[in-house]
PDB file of all heavy atoms in Angstrom:
ATOM      1  N   ASP L 180      45.222  63.377 190.572  1.00  0.00           N
ATOM      2  CA  ASP L 180      44.141  63.089 189.621  1.00  0.00           C
ATOM      3  C   ASP L 180      42.839  63.443 190.336  1.00  0.00           C
ATOM      4  O   ASP L 180      42.364  62.706 191.198  1.00  0.00           O
ATOM      5  CB  ASP L 180      44.181  61.616 189.228  1.00  0.00           C
ATOM      6  CG  ASP L 180      43.079  61.235 188.254  1.00  0.00           C
ATOM      7  OD1 ASP L 180      42.117  62.026 188.077  1.00  0.00           O
ATOM      8  OD2 ASP L 180      43.170  60.135 187.673  1.00  0.00           O
ATOM      9  N   ALA L 181      42.284  64.601 189.976  1.00  0.00           N
ATOM     10  CA  ALA L 181      41.072  65.086 190.635  1.00  0.00           C
ATOM     11  C   ALA L 181      39.878  64.174 190.377  1.00  0.00           C
ATOM     12  O   ALA L 181      39.042  63.973 191.261  1.00  0.00           O
ATOM     13  CB  ALA L 181      40.747  66.511 190.183  1.00  0.00           C
ATOM     14  N   ASP L 182      39.774  63.600 189.187  1.00  0.00           N
ATOM     15  CA  ASP L 182      38.635  62.727 188.867  1.00  0.00           C
ATOM     16  C   ASP L 182      38.627  61.474 189.754  1.00  0.00           C
ATOM     17  O   ASP L 182      37.574  61.043 190.205  1.00  0.00           O
ATOM     18  CB  ASP L 182      38.655  62.319 187.389  1.00  0.00           C
ATOM     19  CG  ASP L 182      38.423  63.502 186.463  1.00  0.00           C
ATOM     20  OD1 ASP L 182      37.763  64.477 186.891  1.00  0.00           O
ATOM     21  OD2 ASP L 182      38.920  63.455 185.319  1.00  0.00           O
ATOM     22  N   ALA L 183      39.795  60.906 189.974  1.00  0.00           N
ATOM     23  CA  ALA L 183      39.888  59.692 190.793  1.00  0.00           C
ATOM     24  C   ALA L 183      40.210  60.015 192.255  1.00  0.00           C
ATOM     25  O   ALA L 183      40.206  59.123 193.098  1.00  0.00           O
ATOM     26  CB  ALA L 183      40.953  58.766 190.226  1.00  0.00           C
ATOM     27  N   ASP L 184      40.505  61.280 192.544  1.00  0.00           N
ATOM     28  CA  ASP L 184      40.908  61.722 193.879  1.00  0.00           C
ATOM     29  C   ASP L 184      42.081  60.878 194.388  1.00  0.00           C
ATOM     30  O   ASP L 184      42.066  60.347 195.492  1.00  0.00           O
ATOM     31  CB  ASP L 184      39.724  61.665 194.860  1.00  0.00           C
ATOM     32  CG  ASP L 184      40.044  62.352 196.184  1.00  0.00           C
ATOM     33  OD1 ASP L 184      40.871  63.294 196.178  1.00  0.00           O
ATOM     34  OD2 ASP L 184      39.500  61.927 197.215  1.00  0.00           O
ATOM     35  N   GLU L 185      43.118  60.743 193.537  1.00  0.00           N
ATOM     36  CA  GLU L 185      44.289  59.941 193.861  1.00  0.00           C
ATOM     37  C   GLU L 185      45.561  60.668 193.458  1.00  0.00           C
ATOM     38  O   GLU L 185      45.555  61.487 192.541  1.00  0.00           O
ATOM     39  CB  GLU L 185      44.252  58.598 193.122  1.00  0.00           C
ATOM     40  CG  GLU L 185      43.136  57.691 193.566  1.00  0.00           C
ATOM     41  CD  GLU L 185      43.135  56.373 192.802  1.00  0.00           C
ATOM     42  OE1 GLU L 185      43.920  56.201 191.847  1.00  0.00           O
ATOM     43  OE2 GLU L 185      42.329  55.515 193.170  1.00  0.00           O
ATOM     44  N   LEU L 186      46.612  60.314 194.143  1.00  0.00           N
ATOM     45  CA  LEU L 186      47.938  60.769 193.741  1.00  0.00           C
ATOM     46  C   LEU L 186      48.546  59.694 192.863  1.00  0.00           C
ATOM     47  O   LEU L 186      48.522  58.517 193.210  1.00  0.00           O
ATOM     48  CB  LEU L 186      48.827  61.001 194.960  1.00  0.00           C
ATOM     49  CG  LEU L 186      48.461  62.182 195.838  1.00  0.00           C
ATOM     50  CD1 LEU L 186      49.344  62.184 197.081  1.00  0.00           C
ATOM     51  CD2 LEU L 186      48.607  63.482 195.077  1.00  0.00           C
ATOM     52  N   GLU L 187      49.081  60.100 191.729  1.00  0.00           N
ATOM     53  CA  GLU L 187      49.725  59.161 190.820  1.00  0.00           C
ATOM     54  C   GLU L 187      51.182  59.557 190.669  1.00  0.00           C
ATOM     55  O   GLU L 187      51.495  60.732 190.460  1.00  0.00           O
ATOM     56  CB  GLU L 187      49.029  59.190 189.461  1.00  0.00           C
ATOM     57  CG  GLU L 187      47.595  58.705 189.514  1.00  0.00           C
ATOM     58  CD  GLU L 187      46.896  58.806 188.157  1.00  0.00           C
ATOM     59  OE1 GLU L 187      47.477  59.374 187.211  1.00  0.00           O
ATOM     60  OE2 GLU L 187      45.768  58.311 188.066  1.00  0.00           O
ATOM     61  N   ARG L 188      52.049  58.579 190.788  1.00  0.00           N
ATOM     62  CA  ARG L 188      53.471  58.865 190.650  1.00  0.00           C
ATOM     63  C   ARG L 188      53.743  59.319 189.220  1.00  0.00           C
ATOM     64  O   ARG L 188      53.445  58.624 188.266  1.00  0.00           O
ATOM     65  CB  ARG L 188      54.312  57.644 190.969  1.00  0.00           C
ATOM     66  CG  ARG L 188      55.787  57.994 190.983  1.00  0.00           C
ATOM     67  CD  ARG L 188      56.704  56.839 191.255  1.00  0.00           C
ATOM     68  NE  ARG L 188      56.301  56.076 192.414  1.00  0.00           N
ATOM     69  CZ  ARG L 188      56.678  54.815 192.605  1.00  0.00           C
ATOM     70  NH1 ARG L 188      57.436  54.202 191.723  1.00  0.00           N
ATOM     71  NH2 ARG L 188      56.286  54.173 193.680  1.00  0.00           N
ATOM     72  N   ALA L 189      54.336  60.493 189.099  1.00  0.00           N
ATOM     73  CA  ALA L 189      54.628  61.056 187.790  1.00  0.00           C
ATOM     74  C   ALA L 189      56.053  60.740 187.354  1.00  0.00           C
ATOM     75  O   ALA L 189      56.297  60.446 186.189  1.00  0.00           O
ATOM     76  CB  ALA L 189      54.410  62.566 187.811  1.00  0.00           C
ATOM     77  N   ARG L 190      56.997  60.797 188.296  1.00  0.00           N
ATOM     78  CA  ARG L 190      58.390  60.509 187.956  1.00  0.00           C
ATOM     79  C   ARG L 190      59.183  60.293 189.240  1.00  0.00           C
ATOM     80  O   ARG L 190      58.722  60.626 190.335  1.00  0.00           O
ATOM     81  CB  ARG L 190      59.001  61.618 187.119  1.00  0.00           C
ATOM     82  CG  ARG L 190      59.142  62.945 187.820  1.00  0.00           C
ATOM     83  CD  ARG L 190      59.707  64.037 186.876  1.00  0.00           C
ATOM     84  NE  ARG L 190      59.754  65.317 187.530  1.00  0.00           N
ATOM     85  CZ  ARG L 190      60.805  65.819 188.156  1.00  0.00           C
ATOM     86  NH1 ARG L 190      61.915  65.128 188.210  1.00  0.00           N
ATOM     87  NH2 ARG L 190      60.746  67.004 188.727  1.00  0.00           N
ATOM     88  N   THR L 191      60.358  59.734 189.062  1.00  0.00           N
ATOM     89  CA  THR L 191      61.265  59.540 190.191  1.00  0.00           C
ATOM     90  C   THR L 191      62.642  60.068 189.810  1.00  0.00           C
ATOM     91  O   THR L 191      62.986  60.151 188.630  1.00  0.00           O
ATOM     92  CB  THR L 191      61.381  58.057 190.585  1.00  0.00           C
ATOM     93  OG1 THR L 191      61.856  57.320 189.467  1.00  0.00           O
ATOM     94  CG2 THR L 191      60.052  57.504 191.056  1.00  0.00           C
ATOM     95  N   GLU L 192      63.389  60.409 190.824  1.00  0.00           N
ATOM     96  CA  GLU L 192      64.742  60.917 190.625  1.00  0.00           C
ATOM     97  C   GLU L 192      65.639  60.296 191.683  1.00  0.00           C
ATOM     98  O   GLU L 192      65.359  60.402 192.879  1.00  0.00           O
ATOM     99  CB  GLU L 192      64.715  62.436 190.774  1.00  0.00           C
ATOM    100  CG  GLU L 192      66.036  63.119 190.695  1.00  0.00           C
ATOM    101  CD  GLU L 192      65.859  64.605 190.960  1.00  0.00           C
ATOM    102  OE1 GLU L 192      65.033  65.262 190.296  1.00  0.00           O
ATOM    103  OE2 GLU L 192      66.565  65.112 191.860  1.00  0.00           O
ATOM    104  N   GLN L 193      66.693  59.620 191.248  1.00  0.00           N
ATOM    105  CA  GLN L 193      67.626  59.024 192.202  1.00  0.00           C
ATOM    106  C   GLN L 193      68.404  60.152 192.871  1.00  0.00           C
ATOM    107  O   GLN L 193      68.952  61.018 192.212  1.00  0.00           O
ATOM    108  CB  GLN L 193      68.581  58.079 191.467  1.00  0.00           C
ATOM    109  CG  GLN L 193      69.488  57.313 192.386  1.00  0.00           C
ATOM    110  CD  GLN L 193      70.327  56.287 191.646  1.00  0.00           C
ATOM    111  OE1 GLN L 193      69.917  55.752 190.622  1.00  0.00           O
ATOM    112  NE2 GLN L 193      71.503  56.027 192.162  1.00  0.00           N
ATOM    113  N   VAL L 194      68.458  60.139 194.210  1.00  0.00           N
ATOM    114  CA  VAL L 194      69.094  61.235 194.920  1.00  0.00           C
ATOM    115  C   VAL L 194      70.450  60.864 195.529  1.00  0.00           C
ATOM    116  O   VAL L 194      71.156  61.739 196.025  1.00  0.00           O
ATOM    117  CB  VAL L 194      68.179  61.825 196.019  1.00  0.00           C
ATOM    118  CG1 VAL L 194      66.979  62.485 195.402  1.00  0.00           C
ATOM    119  CG2 VAL L 194      67.774  60.783 197.022  1.00  0.00           C
ATOM    120  N   ASP L 195      70.821  59.589 195.518  1.00  0.00           N
ATOM    121  CA  ASP L 195      72.160  59.214 195.953  1.00  0.00           C
ATOM    122  C   ASP L 195      72.616  57.978 195.204  1.00  0.00           C
ATOM    123  O   ASP L 195      71.837  57.327 194.520  1.00  0.00           O
ATOM    124  CB  ASP L 195      72.233  59.023 197.468  1.00  0.00           C
ATOM    125  CG  ASP L 195      71.268  57.982 198.006  1.00  0.00           C
ATOM    126  OD1 ASP L 195      70.661  57.238 197.210  1.00  0.00           O
ATOM    127  OD2 ASP L 195      71.115  57.904 199.229  1.00  0.00           O
ATOM    128  N   GLU L 196      73.876  57.686 195.316  1.00  0.00           N
ATOM    129  CA  GLU L 196      74.465  56.545 194.623  1.00  0.00           C
ATOM    130  C   GLU L 196      74.446  55.311 195.521  1.00  0.00           C
ATOM    131  O   GLU L 196      74.403  55.426 196.744  1.00  0.00           O
ATOM    132  CB  GLU L 196      75.903  56.856 194.212  1.00  0.00           C
ATOM    133  CG  GLU L 196      76.013  57.968 193.191  1.00  0.00           C
ATOM    134  CD  GLU L 196      75.302  57.654 191.887  1.00  0.00           C
ATOM    135  OE1 GLU L 196      75.420  56.520 191.393  1.00  0.00           O
ATOM    136  OE2 GLU L 196      74.614  58.540 191.370  1.00  0.00           O
ATOM    137  N   LEU L 197      74.511  54.169 194.898  1.00  0.00           N
ATOM    138  CA  LEU L 197      74.581  52.915 195.636  1.00  0.00           C
ATOM    139  C   LEU L 197      75.896  52.875 196.405  1.00  0.00           C
ATOM    140  O   LEU L 197      76.962  53.088 195.845  1.00  0.00           O
ATOM    141  CB  LEU L 197      74.500  51.733 194.668  1.00  0.00           C
ATOM    142  CG  LEU L 197      74.596  50.348 195.273  1.00  0.00           C
ATOM    143  CD1 LEU L 197      73.439  50.111 196.228  1.00  0.00           C
ATOM    144  CD2 LEU L 197      74.598  49.293 194.190  1.00  0.00           C
ATOM    145  N   ALA L 198      75.824  52.624 197.690  1.00  0.00           N
ATOM    146  CA  ALA L 198      77.006  52.526 198.547  1.00  0.00           C
ATOM    147  C   ALA L 198      76.987  51.175 199.251  1.00  0.00           C
ATOM    148  O   ALA L 198      75.922  50.615 199.518  1.00  0.00           O
ATOM    149  CB  ALA L 198      77.007  53.652 199.573  1.00  0.00           C
ATOM    150  N   ASP L 199      78.165  50.656 199.540  1.00  0.00           N
ATOM    151  CA  ASP L 199      78.249  49.399 200.263  1.00  0.00           C
ATOM    152  C   ASP L 199      77.695  49.581 201.675  1.00  0.00           C
ATOM    153  O   ASP L 199      77.926  50.614 202.312  1.00  0.00           O
ATOM    154  CB  ASP L 199      79.691  48.915 200.344  1.00  0.00           C
ATOM    155  CG  ASP L 199      80.207  48.426 198.996  1.00  0.00           C
ATOM    156  OD1 ASP L 199      79.383  48.061 198.142  1.00  0.00           O
ATOM    157  OD2 ASP L 199      81.434  48.410 198.811  1.00  0.00           O
ATOM    158  N   PRO L 200      76.982  48.579 202.173  1.00  0.00           N
ATOM    159  CA  PRO L 200      76.439  48.676 203.528  1.00  0.00           C
ATOM    160  C   PRO L 200      77.558  48.643 204.565  1.00  0.00           C
ATOM    161  O   PRO L 200      78.638  48.106 204.322  1.00  0.00           O
ATOM    162  CB  PRO L 200      75.532  47.448 203.646  1.00  0.00           C
ATOM    163  CG  PRO L 200      75.919  46.547 202.539  1.00  0.00           C
ATOM    164  CD  PRO L 200      76.606  47.351 201.496  1.00  0.00           C
ATOM    165  N   GLU L 201      77.287  49.219 205.724  1.00  0.00           N
ATOM    166  CA  GLU L 201      78.274  49.244 206.801  1.00  0.00           C
ATOM    167  C   GLU L 201      78.382  47.906 207.510  1.00  0.00           C
ATOM    168  O   GLU L 201      79.433  47.552 208.022  1.00  0.00           O
ATOM    169  CB  GLU L 201      77.911  50.327 207.817  1.00  0.00           C
ATOM    170  CG  GLU L 201      78.047  51.728 207.264  1.00  0.00           C
ATOM    171  CD  GLU L 201      77.683  52.798 208.275  1.00  0.00           C
ATOM    172  OE1 GLU L 201      77.764  52.513 209.496  1.00  0.00           O
ATOM    173  OE2 GLU L 201      77.327  53.888 207.850  1.00  0.00           O
ATOM    174  N   LEU L 202      77.262  47.159 207.561  1.00  0.00           N
ATOM    175  CA  LEU L 202      77.266  45.856 208.217  1.00  0.00           C
ATOM    176  C   LEU L 202      76.913  44.777 207.198  1.00  0.00           C
ATOM    177  O   LEU L 202      76.039  44.965 206.358  1.00  0.00           O
ATOM    178  CB  LEU L 202      76.277  45.829 209.381  1.00  0.00           C
ATOM    179  CG  LEU L 202      76.623  46.742 210.545  1.00  0.00           C
ATOM    180  CD1 LEU L 202      75.522  46.688 211.604  1.00  0.00           C
ATOM    181  CD2 LEU L 202      77.966  46.372 211.164  1.00  0.00           C
ATOM    182  N   LEU L 203      77.615  43.662 207.307  1.00  0.00           N
ATOM    183  CA  LEU L 203      77.433  42.559 206.377  1.00  0.00           C
ATOM    184  C   LEU L 203      77.054  41.292 207.133  1.00  0.00           C
ATOM    185  O   LEU L 203      77.266  41.182 208.338  1.00  0.00           O
ATOM    186  CB  LEU L 203      78.727  42.332 205.589  1.00  0.00           C
ATOM    187  CG  LEU L 203      79.228  43.556 204.819  1.00  0.00           C
ATOM    188  CD1 LEU L 203      80.635  43.311 204.296  1.00  0.00           C
ATOM    189  CD2 LEU L 203      78.290  43.891 203.676  1.00  0.00           C
ATOM    190  N   SER L 204      76.520  40.342 206.393  1.00  0.00           N
ATOM    191  CA  SER L 204      76.141  39.044 206.953  1.00  0.00           C
ATOM    192  C   SER L 204      76.752  37.951 206.106  1.00  0.00           C
ATOM    193  O   SER L 204      77.167  38.175 204.975  1.00  0.00           O
ATOM    194  CB  SER L 204      74.617  38.890 206.937  1.00  0.00           C
ATOM    195  OG  SER L 204      74.017  39.888 207.716  1.00  0.00           O
TER     196      SER L 204
END
Side-chain angles (χ1 to χ4, degrees):
D180 179 346
D182 294 333
D184 190 29
E185 294 180 354
L186 290 174
E187 295 177 353
R188 187 182 311 158
R190 66 183 176 94
T191 59
E192 176 184 307
Q193 186 174 330
V194 294
D195 58 11
E196 295 299 317
L197 178 62
D199 289 337
E201 292 180 24
L202 294 177
L203 303 169
S204 299

